[in-house]
Amino acid sequence: MKLKSLLLRYYPPGIMLEYEKSGELKTKSIDLLDLSPSTDVSALVEEIQRAEPLITASRSHQVKLLIQRLQDKLREHSDHQFELFKVLRAHILPLTNVALNKSGSCFITGSYDRTCKVWDTASGGELFTLDGHRNVVYAIAFNNPYGDKIATGSFDKTCKLWSVETGKCYHTFRGHTAEIVCLSFNPQSTLVATGSMDTMAKLWDIRNGEEVFTLTGHSAEIISLSFNTSGDRIITGSFDHTAVVWDTATGRKVCNLIGHCAEISSALFNWDCSMILTGSMDKTCMLWDATSGKCMATLTGHDDEILDCCFDYTGKLIATASADGTARVFSAATRKCITKLEGHEGEISKISFNPQGNRLLTGSSDKTARIWDTQTGQCLQVLRGHMDEIFSCAFNYKGNIIITGSKDNTCRIWH
């Protein structure tokens, strides 16, 4: 085996190794999920060398420099104040969803007007209108990290695959018998998954437009689905109070996650695929072992339904957002609440970490989005200006741009 090159992965921190084995170019990653600005780099490099034969003594200086660059990245943007850059009057009817590509260079909006629009973040200009659905365009996604394709799921029961470069429709996926309400690409960008009110999820082949598997077993609509990082598992969350893990290679059920006593609002894996987080209308989140499907902890404290929840990029922290108007941060290791985010005057429907994990973004029915310090729970900034509730908000991959989408029919870009 011969090491060809070392590449950085900023979030979550890691080093990608490109190496040659039997004439074939392969890649593997060294995850540095515990890296912090105060980590002893020399000790870490020694540890990596002991564990990874491809990192020889001659490479140790290079690895040291890469890790120092990762540490610099973790220190960035911590005191960044966001300012409104542009207001986009995006559609003639209300928006349903907003999604960014990985770099944040463009984003998409779905709408009740039956279209999806592609926007240039730097100028705020419209690049394309993706037209062709016969009903509300509800679920939208880029095939990140590549960002060259878009999937749109509609109340017309179909999903369409589009080119980001030309706006042309590659495929229309037909087969669901009710509205499509969630969708996701696998990280390898070979499959797109759709979840529907017909209680089924389907996996589709991006290249030929064919259906690969139908995932049946839920007894109510599927409202959340997501792949794990390696793409060999997908989780579906349903209004039947359960989540199910499926094997994407066979379409078979791996395990049922049974424990919530109301509808599931979100279900997702952490970065290293070891844990699953589910949020529910029963006011709790549950943490599950991704292999066995056993419940490891129930995160409690909210007085009302949990509307959104997420892991940070490293999988060490969990954030929950509730209809009670508060958000909470938990440690994934201790399952204890670290801090409570208080200040919104309405329910919080969306929550996400910035890539560095030191900031949280929340969107609320009180017409504001807020930025919080992850550790102290202090509100650092209030993003005001929307005239109606904010249902979508997200950071770009660098953490220096925010997009907010509101029921006032506008999107706002914040720099």
Side-chain angles (χ1 to χ4, degrees), residues 349-362:
S349 61
K350 208 77 191 146
I351 192 162
S352 57
F353 285 93
N354 70 343
Q356 292 89 340
N358 57 3
R359 297 287 177 263
L360 272 163
L361 174 65
T362 52

Side-chain angles (χ1 to χ4, degrees), residues 75-361:
R75 293 185 191 100
E76 267 181 23
H77 303 308
S78 53
D79 51 1
H80 184 73
Q81 285 289 302
F82 287 87
E83 286 177 19
L84 180 64
F85 165 65
K86 198 130 194 182
V87 179
L88 304 181
R89 312 241 174 279
H91 293 265
I92 50 171
L93 289 174
L95 299 170
T96 54
N97 259 311
V98 180
L100 278 152
N101 69 348
K102 184 175 170 178
S103 68
S105 62
C106 65
F107 66 97
I108 46 180
T109 51
S111 169
Y112 280 87
D113 70 9
R114 306 178 174 193
T115 70
C116 172
K117 288 181 188 270
V118 187
W119 307 85
D120 178 71
T121 314
S123 66
E126 184 186 319
L127 298 172
F128 298 110
T129 297
L130 307 181
D131 206 347
H133 281 295
R134 296 192 173 154
N135 207 328
V136 176
V137 173
Y138 192 75
I140 55 178
F142 281 98
N143 64 330
N144 291 336
Y146 307 97
D148 63 336
K149 293 183 184 70
I150 291 164
T152 55
S154 168
F155 285 3
D156 69 9
K157 308 171 192 172
T158 72
C159 171
K160 288 178 182 283
L161 186 72
W162 312 79
S163 161
V164 171
E165 210 174 308
T166 64
K168 159 177 155 305
C169 180
Y170 291 121
H171 302 295
T172 300
F173 303 124
R174 301 175 206 278
H176 281 294
T177 56
E179 297 89 336
I180 291 174
V181 290
C182 54
L183 57 78
S184 181
F185 285 95
N186 67 342
Q188 295 71 28
S189 193
T190 54
L191 298 172
V192 67
T194 52
S196 167
M197 305 283 272
D198 65 11
T199 76
M200 290 181 282
K202 288 177 183 283
L203 300 182
W204 311 85
D205 187 310
I206 283 173
R207 285 157 298 206
N208 61 23
E210 302 288 318
E211 183 183 313
V212 184
F213 296 116
T214 296
L215 312 179
T216 54
H218 283 293
S219 58
E221 55 262 45
I222 292 171
I223 60 103
S224 170
L225 49 76
S226 55
F227 286 93
N228 66 356
T229 318
S230 49
D232 62 343
R233 297 281 184 270
I234 186 169
I235 186 163
T236 52
S238 167
F239 272 12
D240 67 9
H241 308 183
T242 72
V244 177
V245 180
W246 312 81
D247 183 317
T248 57
T250 63
R252 291 209 182 103
K253 196 180 280 193
V254 178
C255 51
N256 281 328
L257 309 184
I258 300 169
H260 283 294
C261 50
E263 293 93 331
I264 303 250
S265 53
S266 48
L268 61 157
F269 290 89
N270 66 346
W271 171 265
D272 69 9
C273 314
S274 63
M275 286 187 282
I276 289 164
L277 180 66
T278 53
S280 167
M281 306 294 184
D282 67 11
K283 310 178 190 176
T284 73
C285 274
M286 294 179 100
L287 200 56
W288 311 78
D289 180 295
T291 313
S292 68
K294 285 196 171 62
C295 176
M296 297 153 69
T298 302
L299 310 179
T300 59
H302 284 293
D303 302 327
D304 208 338
E305 300 172 346
I306 290 190
L307 302 177
D308 195 22
C309 60
C310 60
F311 286 104
D312 71 346
Y313 270 67
T314 61
K316 289 192 165 26
L317 297 174
I318 290 164
T320 58
S322 169
D324 67 14
T326 71
R328 286 168 183 259
V329 181
F330 293 85
S331 158
T334 67
R335 291 88 196 242
K336 297 272 190 294
C337 180
I338 296 168
T339 186
K340 195 171 167 184
L341 314 182
E342 295 177 288
H344 277 297
E345 289 160 25
E347 62 180 34
I348 303 173
S349 61
K350 208 77 191 146
I351 192 162
S352 57
F353 285 93
N354 70 343
Q356 292 89 340
N358 57 3
R359 297 287 177 263
L360 272 163
L361 174 65

Side-chain angles (χ1 to χ4, degrees), residues 95 386-391 404-411:
L95 299 170
H386 279 296
M387 310 302 286
D388 205 339
E389 70 180 76
I390 294 172
F391 60 81
T404 53
S406 164
K407 286 195 173 165
D408 66 9
N409 282 21
T410 72
C411 254

